[in-house]
């Protein structure tokens, strides 16, 4: 992670320990004051202060000390800003998430405040298009996915692709154009699109059918309106004699919430008190974690959150059954794109530390490439990242869908489900690398891990792309 997350553009990096900084300047002395000293901080001091305040606030929230959490939120509000530097913007969404978690102590108030909040389908489409435009991640994933499919389907005359997140026609339009140029001619192509919004699937069907007609490729689109966890596999209409490919973009992690729900039903004796004990951390733990994350350049270790993950404690019953069902379809290739984060820890503090580190990298990408005044940047941060942060921090159990995990965890799950890893081809990686080189920002990196690709910002892993086949 670049040091710029704690500084203004062009300023020097932070070298002093944040704990030394706080020993000299206690936050507590300002309670009840107009916080003038807080607002006059330099960027690096402000960044360190915000991290400490967020960790302190989260510890109060986890312990049920809402009065102290509220005092800390007031202090954070003097420093955070949705249009400031990277740390100011991040803090805005983490405080919103912590406040939402606090409100769950009063479910009536929380429901009343959120009862009229609705996201229009048009807004959902817009923010995903903005994410596609402002970051290279999905385009790199499209390049690698399409190349893996083209290579696996060489010589096939009947090709069926199942898209588990059918929301963007760009990828499949590019694939249609590549298939048209095949020496043996294009195959008969059928795409089954899964999405919970019918309107989005209708748009996909229209654009892809139109492109297929232009290219004179025999084409069918099979829409399946469904949430992933409720998917009826019979509606995928997989037929004998067709070569099958499966594409999953940022979807499989949400299935891990099913495992928590299954565990809850399996263990009815788990009381509310025992759940509260699972998230409590004493002050010495807070100090240890804050020192670790801040002194080391804001970089918690991968082991810190995976070792206590619920998945590591019990079999992944529901996610496992879903992956087993995908395996039973016998795909020639399945390409999986996932966030490469550790956001599925069992405690609030684990998730907060890891999420701070991960989203600092994503917000820093935008800080380096997009103006702070950009409305498009604000929409992505607010409607996409802010929503994810709130889910990671505020929610528990089945409601917590944003359970991002590292590539090695997906290796274990997919291997257990009967899938064998297919190394991504040299040609596909070459295409993706060339695209990144022409993207116009040097901060993005691409590295190979066991035949898979991990896209990074500087040295921070952000997204992974891996290919799999059914192992009989």
């Amino acid at each position: 992670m670049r040091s710029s997350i704690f500084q203004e553009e062009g300023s020097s990096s932070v070298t002093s320990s944040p704990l030394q900084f706080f020993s000299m300047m206690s936050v507590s002395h300002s309670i009840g004051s107009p916080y003038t000293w807080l607002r006059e901080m330099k960027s690096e001091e402000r960044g360190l202060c915000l991290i400490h305040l967020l960790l302190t606030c989260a510890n109060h929230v986890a312990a049920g000390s809402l009065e102290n959490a509220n005092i800390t939120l007031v202090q954070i509000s003097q420093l955070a800003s949705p249009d400031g530097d990277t740390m100011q913007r991040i803090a805005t969404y983490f405080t919103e998430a912590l406040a939402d978690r606090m409100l769950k102590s009063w479910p009536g108030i929380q429901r009343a405040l959120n009862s009229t909040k609705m996201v229009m389908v048009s807004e959902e489409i817009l923010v995903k298009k903005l994410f596609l435009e402002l970051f290279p991640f999905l385009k790199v994933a499209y390049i690698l996915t399409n190349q893996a499919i083209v290579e696996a389907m060489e010589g096939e005359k009947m090709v069926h692709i199942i898209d588990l997140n059918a929301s963007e026609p760009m990828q499949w339009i590019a694939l249609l154009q590549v298939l048209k140029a095949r020496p043996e001619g294009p195959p008969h192509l059928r795409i089954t699109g899964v999405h919970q919004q019918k309107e989005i699937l209708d748009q996909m069907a229209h654009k892809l059918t139109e492109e297929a007609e232009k290219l004179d490729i025999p084409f069918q689109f099979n829409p399946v309106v469904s949430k992933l966890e409720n998917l009826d596999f019979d509606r995928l209409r997989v037929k004998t004699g067709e070569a099958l490919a499966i594409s999953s973009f940022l979807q499989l992690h949400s299935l891990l919430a099913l495992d928590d729900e299954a565990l809850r039903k399996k263990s009815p004796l788990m009381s509310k008190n025992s759940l509260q004990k699972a998230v409590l951390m004493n002050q010495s733990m807070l100090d240890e974690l804050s020192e670790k994350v801040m002194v080391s350049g804001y970089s918690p270790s991968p082991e810190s959150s995976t070792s206590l993950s619920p998945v590591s404690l019990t079999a992944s019953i529901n996610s496992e059954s879903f992956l087993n069902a995908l395996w039973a379809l016998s795909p020639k290739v399945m390409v999986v794109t996932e966030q490469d984060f550790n956001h599925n820890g069992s405690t609030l503090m684990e998730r907060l530390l890891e999420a701070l580190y991960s989203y600092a990298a994503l917000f820093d990408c935008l800080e380096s490439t997009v103006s702070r005044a950009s409305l498009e940047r604000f929409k992505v941060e607010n409607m996409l990242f802010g929503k994810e942060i709130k889910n990671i921090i505020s929610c528990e159990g089945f409601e917590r869908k944003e359970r991002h995990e590292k590539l090695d965890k997906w290796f274990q799950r997919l291997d257990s489900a009967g899938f064998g890893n297919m190394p991504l081809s040299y040609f596909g990686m070459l295409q993706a690398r060339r695209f990144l080189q022409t993207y116009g920002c040097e901060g993005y990196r691409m590295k190979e891990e066991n035949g898979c690709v991990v896209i990074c910002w500087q040295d921070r892993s952000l997204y992974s792309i891996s290919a799999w086949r059914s192992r009989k």
Side-chain angles (χ1 to χ4, degrees):
M1 167 55 58
R2 299 193 320 164
S3 59
S4 64
I5 68 168
F6 302 128
Q7 56 188 297
E8 300 285 1
E9 297 158 293
S11 68
S12 62
S13 62
V14 180
T15 56
S16 60
S17 162
L19 297 183
Q20 292 172 353
F21 170 75
F22 279 104
S23 68
M24 293 183 292
M25 186 186 299
S26 172
V27 175
S28 61
H29 80 271
S30 299
I31 296 172
S33 75
Y35 305 103
T36 304
W37 70 277
L38 286 172
R39 290 192 292 269
E40 291 176 353
M41 279 183 174
K42 294 179 181 178
S43 177
E44 57 226 48
E45 293 174 342
R46 184 174 59 229
L48 295 171
C49 186
L50 280 168
I51 296 168
H52 182 85
L53 288 170
L54 285 169
L55 293 173
T56 302
C57 183
N59 197 53
H60 289 318
V61 172
S65 180
L66 301 188
E67 184 177 349
N68 286 331
N70 181 64
I71 291 170
T72 313
L73 285 176
V74 172
Q75 294 169 334
I76 295 172
S77 70
Q78 303 298 312
L79 300 175
S81 169
D83 58 1
D85 62 25
T86 298
M87 263 320 297
Q88 287 180 299
R89 297 169 95 106
I90 291 170
T92 299
Y93 298 107
F94 275 88
T95 52
E96 185 178 337
L98 287 166
D100 191 70
R101 188 178 177 104
M102 290 166 64
L103 272 178
K104 290 187 176 179
S105 300
W106 298 279
I109 295 174
Q110 192 209 27
R111 287 181 194 131
L113 289 173
N114 291 288
S115 61
T116 58
K117 289 184 180 178
M118 295 179 64
V119 178
M120 304 297 290
V121 174
S122 58
E123 291 178 333
E124 186 179 325
I125 294 171
L126 172 63
V127 76
K128 287 181 178 175
K129 285 193 178 298
L130 290 174
F131 179 71
L132 185 64
E133 291 170 8
L134 295 179
F135 295 93
F137 309 125
L138 288 185
K139 289 177 182 174
V140 170
Y142 291 164
I143 291 168
L144 291 165
T145 300
N146 282 0
Q147 186 59 32
I149 291 173
V150 167
E151 291 170 5
M153 300 301 164
E154 188 175 348
E156 296 288 352
K157 295 181 179 179
M158 301 281 290
V159 174
H160 183 187
I161 299 172
I162 297 172
D163 184 352
L164 295 178
N165 183 26
S167 58
E168 178 49 62
M170 174 194 291
Q171 175 189 6
W172 305 127
I173 288 173
L175 181 67
L176 284 166
Q177 293 166 353
V178 173
L179 293 175
K180 174 67 176 177
R182 283 202 322 182
E184 67 270 34
H188 181 286
L189 179 64
R190 186 155 63 96
I191 294 179
T192 294
V194 181
H195 200 279
Q196 63 189 76
Q197 299 282 359
K198 182 179 182 297
E199 182 181 336
I200 288 176
L201 289 173
D202 288 344
Q203 290 185 25
M204 284 277 288
H206 173 73
K207 290 181 180 179
L208 293 178
T209 302
E210 188 177 59
E211 184 67 20
E213 287 174 356
K214 279 184 197 174
L215 297 171
D216 194 26
I217 294 177
F219 176 77
Q220 289 176 287
F221 186 81
N222 173 35
V224 177
V225 181
S226 174
K227 292 182 178 180
L228 206 59
E229 63 263 28
N230 300 327
L231 181 60
D232 178 357
F233 277 72
D234 289 339
R235 295 177 64 193
L236 301 177
R237 292 162 49 194
V238 175
K239 300 175 183 177
T240 305
E242 62 185 12
L244 179 66
I246 299 173
S247 171
S248 175
F249 278 90
L250 312 180
Q251 291 299 296
L252 295 185
H253 65 264
S254 65
L255 297 172
L256 302 181
L258 299 173
D259 302 334
D260 253 18
E261 184 69 4
L263 186 61
R264 184 187 66 79
K265 290 177 179 177
K266 194 175 180 181
S267 308
L269 296 177
M270 184 177 281
S271 66
K272 184 178 179 182
N273 286 339
S274 66
L275 285 172
Q276 287 175 339
K277 287 177 185 176
V279 299
L280 288 178
M281 283 193 174
N282 58 29
Q283 188 60 42
S284 63
M285 177 72 82
L286 168 64
D287 292 340
E288 181 184 341
L289 286 170
S290 61
E291 182 172 12
K292 182 181 179 184
V293 70
M294 292 185 282
V295 174
S296 65
Y298 207 32
S299 175
S301 68
E303 292 81 6
S304 65
S305 66
T306 56
S307 61
L308 295 178
S309 169
V311 178
S312 66
L313 299 177
T314 185
S316 307
I317 301 166
N318 284 283
S319 63
E320 183 180 351
S321 63
F322 188 93
L323 293 177
N324 286 339
L326 292 179
W327 172 86
L329 298 175
S330 300
K332 289 194 74 174
V333 63
M334 179 171 77
V335 188
V336 176
T337 300
E338 278 292 332
Q339 292 94 335
D340 198 49
F341 301 145
N342 280 318
H343 294 164
N344 197 22
S346 60
T347 69
L348 169 62
M349 290 302 294
E350 286 179 277
R351 299 200 302 273
L352 182 122
L353 284 165
E354 292 289 349
L356 271 173
Y357 183 45
S358 304
Y359 285 98
L362 287 167
F363 277 65
D364 203 33
C365 293
L366 292 174
E367 179 76 358
S368 300
T369 56
V370 186
S371 163
R372 289 181 183 176
S374 166
L375 181 59
E376 290 78 13
R377 174 180 174 179
F378 171 77
K379 285 181 177 178
V380 169
E381 291 175 344
N382 179 276
M383 297 169 64
L384 183 60
F385 297 152
K387 183 180 176 183
E388 291 176 358
I389 290 166
K390 183 180 284 189
N391 188 266
I392 293 165
I393 301 303
S394 175
C395 297
E396 293 293 350
F398 186 67
E399 288 184 348
R400 183 162 61 83
K401 303 287 190 181
E402 301 297 341
R403 294 171 176 258
H404 315 135
E405 293 199 338
K406 301 288 284 184
L407 179 60
D408 60 343
K409 287 286 186 182
W410 290 111
F411 252 86
Q412 293 171 22
R413 286 197 179 86
L414 290 161
D415 182 72
S416 296
F419 286 97
N421 180 242
M422 292 175 61
L424 294 165
S425 72
Y426 171 80
F427 184 63
M429 291 190 194
L430 184 64
Q431 285 181 292
R433 218 176 281 279
R434 283 175 177 168
F435 170 77
L436 267 188
Q437 288 171 350
T438 61
Y439 191 72
C441 182
E442 294 181 359
Y444 292 108
R445 308 267 193 273
M446 201 180 97
K447 63 181 180 181
E448 181 184 353
E449 284 188 15
N450 300 316
C452 309
V453 163
V454 178
I455 313 170
C456 308
W457 174 251
Q458 304 297 350
D459 296 323
R460 173 60 174 170
S461 300
L462 297 178
Y463 292 86
S464 67
I465 303 103
S466 56
W468 306 82
R469 66 161 69 89
S470 285
R471 192 177 61 235
K472 295 298 184 184

